[in-house]
Amino acid sequence: MAKILLLNGPNLNLLGSRETDHYGTDSLSSITESLVMKATKAGHSLIHLQSNAEHTLLEWIQAAPKEGTSFIIINPGAFTHTSIALRDAMIAVNIPFIEVHLSNIAAREIFRQKSYFSDIARGVISGFGSFSYHVAMYAAIEELSRLEI
Ligand code: DQA
């Protein structure tokens, strides 16, 4: 049984009402509820944390090894395109992770097309709305079995 950490960055607490053309109408709590069920069914546990603050996300990432986290699924929100600090933290803890986005960031504004996470992630899932999280969870479960965790 592995501990999976799902981290969501700024403004993702507003899912469901925020720019629904880009992000759909599912709330973060409805998404996480079904992800917890998926993780549990596969014999893993899922901890979900969301923050609008970069320093809080940094602290959670830094704490992940001590918490026994084996895998991280992260949607860094706008920090995707700005945060070298979060990138450095992900490298420092050296926990395999998947980068997730609801929208297809490669097809949006130029400033969204740069990610500080993609080249250090196991993989990137982007553009399937809330289903991106489900695809990431399937991939995480598969990766964990490959890693024999
Ligand atoms: C996002 C894409 C980011 O560019 C944006 O700032 C977000 C959400 C996504 O899930 O599509 O907050 O990460």
Side-chain angles (χ1 to χ4, degrees), residues 85-96:
L86 289 177
R87 173 193 172 89
D88 285 349
M90 295 304 281
I91 292 170
V93 298
N94 197 26
I95 295 172

Side-chain angles (χ1 to χ4, degrees), residues 5 27 30 52 54 63 70 78:
L5 175 62
S27 67
S30 73
N52 294 320
E54 191 176 26
S70 301

